[in-house]
Amino acid sequence: MSRRELADFLRHRREALRPHEVPVTATHPPGRRARRTPGLRREEVAALAGMSVSYYERLEQARAPRPSPAVLTALGTALRLTAAEREHLARLAGQFPPGTDADRGPVPTEAHRLLERLGPIPAYLVDERQDIVAWNDAAAGLIIDFSLLPAAERNTMRLSIRLGTALCSAPAGAEGQFARQSAAQLRAATVRYPANRVLGELVNEFAAHSPDFAAGWRDHNVQPIPTLSKHLHHPELGELELERQTLLLPGTDLQLVMYTAEPGSPSAAALARLAPRGE
């Protein structure tokens, strides 16, 4: 159990929850003083979870013993946690045994076949480190020929830092979403694999190069963003408006990342021209 990580996660989720999102009776008891912060107060979360204020305070102060599954369920409901956040909370509280590098294993044959069958849809697989472990020809044609890169450089965040806006940008107002998404994924991975030093090294590296990643890490967010809008500058296909979609492969830690375009759009027509390498 990581008491400090658990305390920080609870505090950030409490501060992110707005009073209008919870029952009025919990946030407006008789005689309550004027609210000074946008998030919920500790006593409000305690009331919603059906526990004493002192116990909840000890949780946020990293002084409480390991919470039971029933307490975690109550906290998840009180804080309006998503399924991903509830699992993260349970892992922080030591309800799941930590994973090991041995759990990773090779990329399943079925996953390789899936990539091949996607044809002109650029797609690749990433592991918990955000390392690209497999890809199809369309992805190599759209982004970069991953086979020419050292294995250590086949990392989505490293490539984002290296290639920058020369390859890809995001719509106004969504510039930092990818970096924050990467921070959320690595945050969840560090809890799942607490003994993996490489994950901690990646976090330090990316936080030093990306303010958006650093901000996402500080927010303790673990909620995935399934779809991100991307604007790609391709030397042959021109300007492309794409969606980056991420799906978890069941039974693995691998995520399938695909780049798609609006059907009938110029970007969709451009993607269709991506031919396998060597043709």
Side-chain angles (χ1 to χ4, degrees):
M1 173 179 169
S2 175
R3 286 187 174 86
R4 176 46 57 192
E5 287 286 318
L6 175 63
D8 288 347
F9 180 71
L10 290 174
R11 178 172 57 82
H12 277 82
R13 295 285 73 77
R14 171 176 62 81
E15 293 176 348
L17 193 60
R18 298 297 177 256
H20 69 270
E21 297 175 314
V22 300
V24 175
T25 54
T27 57
H28 294 82
R32 170 53 60 194
R33 65 185 183 279
R35 185 175 300 277
R36 296 181 179 178
T37 59
L40 294 188
R41 303 183 182 94
R42 289 175 176 174
E43 59 265 32
E44 292 170 341
V45 173
L48 289 167
M51 62 184 62
S52 69
V53 176
S54 62
Y55 176 67
Y56 182 77
E57 287 178 343
R58 290 199 301 274
L59 282 173
E60 279 205 12
Q61 294 166 356
R63 296 190 297 109
R66 175 182 296 182
S68 67
V71 167
L72 296 177
T73 298
L75 287 171
T77 300
L79 293 170
R80 303 299 193 265
L81 300 185
T82 65
E85 290 169 335
R86 286 172 183 261
E87 179 181 337
H88 186 69
L89 177 64
R91 290 188 180 280
L92 288 174
Q95 296 297 332
F96 290 91
T100 65
D101 284 344
D103 294 336
R104 299 173 67 199
V107 176
T109 301
E110 296 80 2
H112 282 291
R113 284 203 296 263
L114 174 60
L115 288 174
E116 294 173 359
R117 290 172 180 172
L118 288 173
I121 299 177
Y124 53 79
L125 296 172
V126 296
D127 62 13
E128 74 280 358
R129 301 176 185 176
Q130 299 306 293
D131 286 341
I132 300 170
V133 295
W135 58 89
N136 62 12
D137 287 340
L142 178 67
I143 304 171
I144 194 171
D145 188 345
F146 303 111
S147 66
L148 301 179
L149 299 175
E153 294 302 315
R154 297 174 196 159
N155 180 281
T156 58
M157 192 64 197
R158 279 201 180 115
L159 285 173
S160 175
I161 293 171
R162 169 184 166 185
L163 300 176
T165 56
L167 171 70
C168 179
S169 61
E175 295 86 353
Q177 279 193 339
F178 172 73
R180 289 176 177 269
Q181 165 80 328
S182 298
Q185 291 168 325
L186 283 178
R187 168 72 71 178
T190 57
V191 173
R192 189 179 185 90
Y193 299 99
N196 191 320
R197 295 183 179 180
V198 174
L199 290 171
E201 294 170 358
L202 290 175
V203 170
N204 292 334
E205 174 188 342
F206 299 154
H209 287 87
S210 171
D212 289 310
F213 181 96
W217 183 262
R218 289 193 300 270
D219 286 344
H220 283 256
N221 184 32
V222 295
Q223 180 63 25
I225 306 174
T227 303
L228 295 174
S229 297
K230 290 288 185 180
H231 185 101
L232 266 66
H233 317 279
H234 195 276
E236 298 176 4
L237 303 179
E239 304 299 306
L240 304 175
E241 299 293 338
L242 305 176
E243 286 190 345
R244 182 184 188 270
Q245 298 169 317
T246 304
L247 302 171
L248 178 65
L249 292 188
T252 75
D253 279 339
L254 299 175
Q255 293 179 321
L256 173 67
V257 179
M258 299 179 293
Y259 287 84
T260 61
E262 182 70 24
S265 67
S267 295
L271 284 185
R273 298 199 299 273
L274 280 175
R277 289 168 292 173
E279 289 193 359

